[in-house]
């Protein structure tokens, strides 16, 4: 997950997390200790093959509100 308070994602922070599946099959992730406001977020998946990480492309940026 790549997230930033700036729409351009300058100074963005990267966090590697494992998503948890819910009953309806949607994967959710919670990042704690974020300040209130809007964040621009991008996500990508990865898997490990022969001990090396393989990454997908980053998603299109989208906005999330933190209450």
């Amino acid at each position: 997950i790549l997230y930033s308070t700036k729409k351009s994602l300058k100074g963005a922070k990267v966090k590697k997390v494992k998503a948890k599946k819910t009953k309806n099959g949607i994967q959710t992730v919670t990042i704690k200790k974020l300040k209130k406001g809007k964040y621009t977020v991008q996500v990508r998946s990865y898997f490990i093959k022969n001990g090396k990480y393989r990454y997908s492309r980053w998603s299109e940026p989208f906005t999330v509100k933190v209450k």
Side-chain angles (χ1 to χ4, degrees):
I1 297 176
L2 182 74
Y3 63 96
S4 175
T5 54
K6 297 178 182 175
K7 201 170 188 177
S8 64
L9 290 169
K10 284 192 176 183
K13 296 183 180 181
V14 178
K15 185 156 188 143
K16 200 179 276 191
V17 296
K18 287 189 178 182
K20 296 179 182 178
K21 282 192 178 181
T22 59
K23 290 181 182 179
N24 60 4
I26 296 173
Q27 295 183 343
T28 61
V29 174
T30 303
I31 300 175
K32 296 182 180 185
K33 298 183 181 180
L34 293 178
K35 295 180 181 178
K36 291 182 181 182
K38 290 184 181 180
Y39 285 82
T40 302
V41 180
Q42 284 184 306
V43 296
R44 69 177 174 176
S45 62
Y46 71 92
F47 63 95
I48 302 171
K49 185 175 182 180
N50 298 329
K52 293 185 180 180
Y53 285 94
R54 305 289 183 181
Y55 296 95
S56 67
R57 293 183 180 172
W58 285 105
S59 68
E60 290 296 318
F62 56 95
T63 304
V64 176
K65 286 184 183 180
V66 176
K67 296 180 183 180

